[in-house]
Structure formats: structure tokens, C-alpha cells
Amino acid sequence: MTALPRQVHVFVRDWLSANNVLLRSRGGHVLVDTGYVRHVPLTLALLATPRGIGAEPLARIVNTHCHSDHMGGNAALQRRYGCPVAVPLGEAPHVAAWDERALWLDWAGQSAERFTAAGVLHPGERHVWGDLEWESIAAPGHDMGALCFFNAEHRVLISGDALWEHGFGVVMPPEVEPEALPATRRTLDALAKLDVRTVIPGHGEPFRDFAAALERAYGRVEAFEADPTRLARHALKVILAFTLLDRRSMPLAELTGHVARVGMYRDFNALYFRQPPAELAAFLVKELTRAGAARVEDGALVPAAVAAG
Ligand SMILES: [Zn+2]
């Protein structure tokens, strides 16, 4: 684990729940991102440990963006602590309307408990959280409303899903969201201008080699720009892998129905693949098992590594 300012504690989670970043302060503790709804008991337990806030109150929840693995604990934590939730400006209307398509919920086969946001975070704003100043940086791409949070003093970047050590969160292909891939590149350009020593990503351990991560991310953008169908394929694989982590097992017999019913598969199939759902389902099984992300066991597709907790 990389040395971070003492106010900053990262609960490194997994692929179903995004990391929770706790910014501790006597003036009020702030939590960045709350994990997936299935993991709420673990999120609450982690937060209540001495490495978290123990029995102290939580002053505020903020989200880097409002996908299910980042905001799935908002409602439960709000209930427990009675604290306000602030979301990025671009996410606020989707959250207010609980737009299942924009939030990638039903549309992607995912779920979250509905919550109400009391505050809005604007790009360019500065906030004092955990006694440190954090600048909100617009980070559209994976999510068009996403923000990163940068502390210039300690050169720490909370990057959400805009930049991981190896890549970034899945990006919608051009026919679905024309601006997403160009925005991903522009976001990398904007982040590259920051003097970053430590990145706290939305998934995976905090890391130091910012330049290498950027280079890998640019390489991935380039590959997707060259072949949008590859991006569409990649996106469906990622979303199905997420669903397997959520459900832990999906009978092969149900997979065709899932692919035929869930909006994202339907939309992508109509735009890119034009295959009968059974064929698309079989293709995804083949791809996920070949990549080692899943295996077939007793007629069901199961994730290769079931997320702990
Ligand atoms: Zn995300």
C-alpha cells in the first residue's frame, strides 16, 4: 500500500464494489463512494472499525459518479448516519429522476437502492474534506458526469473509474454514446497535466506509476478508436462478468433470456452484432471462459473468482 496522508484511508474492495475512500477530520468525516448494494453489510462493518470512523458520525457522502458499484451503499449509509449525499453535477438529474438507463441499472442488469442527493459537486470547485483541499476535475468518458478529486498538496488523485492502474471503466461504443470515447481521451489529457504522485483508483490498490497507467490507458483508447465493435464486445463481456459477481451463478439456460431481455445487450446486439440472442449468449460464454473470467459448472456460468463479502 502506498503511503497516503494520515487523513486518507482507502478500503480496497473488489470488482463488484468500488473502493471506499475515507477522508477523516475532526470537523466531520467524508466518505467517497459506497460500494454495491449487495455489499452494504460489509461496507457498514468496515466503516465502523477503528480504521474507519468507529462510533463517530459520518458527515457527508460524495460520489465520483453514480454507477451501482459506487453509489449502491448511499441509501443505507444515509439511513445509518443521517448524512447528506453529494453527487457530481452531471449525475444529479439522473439521480433525481432515478433514470435506470442513464445510471446503468435495469438497462445493464444491475441494481441499487434509490437515494436522494442533497448536494451537487461542480467541476472546478474546491472542497475541504478530511482537512485537505480537493479540486473536482471533470472526468467524462466511462461516465459522462464523472468527477475525479485532486489534492495538490499531497499530489493525490482520487480517480474513480476514469483511470485505473490497468485501464479504465468500460466506455460506451460510438453508436450508443458518440461522445464517450472522445471524452475518455480528453479526460486522460486533462489528468496528464496534473502533478500526481499517488492515484487512488475506483478499483484496485492505490498506485504510484501514474505515467505508465496513462500510457496503458491511451493505448486502450487507441485500440477502441480503431475498432468500435471491439469496444462493444468488451463492454458486454465486462457487464456480464459484473452480473456474475453479483449473482454468483447464472444457469446457462437463463443466459439467452438475460441477453434477450436486458437493454444493454439488446441495444448493442441491434447496433453491432445482429445475432439471435442464443448465439450472442454462447459467444459471451466462450469469450469469458477463454479469458479466465468465468467457468461453466453444472450447467451454470460462474465467475472465476467469487468476490469476497
Ligand atoms: Zn463506473
Side-chain angles (χ1 to χ4, degrees), residues 65 67 69-70 142 161:
H65 63 295
H67 285 156
D69 52 331
H70 294 255
H142 160 72
D161 290 348

Side-chain angles (χ1 to χ4, degrees), residues 55 63 80 86 93 98 128 136 161 179 181 281 302 304:
N63 291 129
R80 167 73 62 92
W98 205 248
V128 177
S136 297
D161 290 348
E179 272 308 301
L181 198 51
V302 296

Side-chain angles (χ1 to χ4, degrees), residues 28-291:
H29 307 300
V30 176
L31 187 68
V32 183
D33 290 341
T34 61
Y36 191 66
V37 65
R38 175 196 275 286
H39 285 169
V40 159
L42 179 59
T43 305
L44 286 168
L46 288 170
L47 201 54
T49 61
R51 294 178 71 85
I53 60 176
E56 293 176 17
L58 184 65
R60 178 177 290 273
I61 294 165
V62 301
N63 291 129
T64 55
H65 63 295
C66 292
H67 285 156
S68 64
D69 52 331
H70 294 255
M71 54 78 162
N74 284 7
L77 268 71
Q78 219 173 8
R79 259 197 311 277
R80 167 73 62 92
Y81 292 102
C83 63
V85 176
V87 299
L89 175 68
E91 305 284 40
H94 306 320
V95 169
W98 205 248
D99 182 334
E100 301 261 352
R101 163 68 179 81
L103 297 171
W104 296 8
L105 295 174
D106 273 1
W107 183 70
Q110 300 177 14
S111 52
E113 188 183 348
R114 187 169 184 168
F115 68 96
T116 306
V120 170
L121 307 167
H122 294 255
E125 252 174 15
R126 286 162 201 274
H127 305 271
V128 177
W129 297 328
D131 301 327
L132 302 169
E133 188 180 83
W134 299 89
E135 185 186 350
S136 297
I137 316 266
H142 160 72
D143 182 298
M144 294 306 284
L147 293 174
C148 295
F149 305 119
F150 180 58
N151 171 256
E153 184 192 350
H154 297 278
R155 299 159 56 205
V156 176
L157 179 70
I158 298 174
S159 63
D161 290 348
L163 180 71
W164 299 334
E165 190 167 11
H166 299 274
F168 43 78
V170 61
V171 172
M172 289 297 105
E175 280 77 1
V176 176
E177 176 73 70
E179 272 308 301
L181 198 51
T184 302
R185 180 177 277 286
R186 285 197 305 275
T187 289
L188 294 177
D189 293 345
L191 296 181
K193 293 197 181 85
L194 303 174
D195 181 17
V196 174
R197 181 169 53 195
T198 310
V199 179
I200 303 173
H203 301 269
E205 294 281 344
F207 63 90
R208 281 273 172 109
D209 202 340
F210 182 52
L214 279 174
E215 201 180 308
R216 283 188 288 267
Y218 275 120
R220 200 160 284 204
V221 168
E222 219 161 277
F224 289 147
E225 285 167 344
D227 186 356
T229 305
R230 174 174 167 176
L231 180 51
R233 247 188 337 254
H234 171 75
L236 290 190
K237 282 191 279 181
V238 168
I239 293 298
L240 182 55
F242 185 92
T243 296
L244 292 178
L245 289 176
D246 181 9
R247 302 191 183 185
R248 301 180 184 207
S249 170
M250 188 185 282
L252 288 173
E254 285 176 22
L255 190 59
T256 298
H258 186 78
V259 163
R261 185 178 64 251
V262 176
M264 189 169 165
Y265 301 89
R266 242 182 17 223
D267 292 354
F268 282 32
N269 197 12
L271 289 165
Y272 289 98
F273 311 113
R274 298 178 193 95
Q275 293 175 347
E279 236 171 81
L280 181 59
F283 170 76
L284 290 170
V285 171
K286 197 180 79 192
E287 289 281 301
L288 283 185
T289 50
R290 198 177 60 182

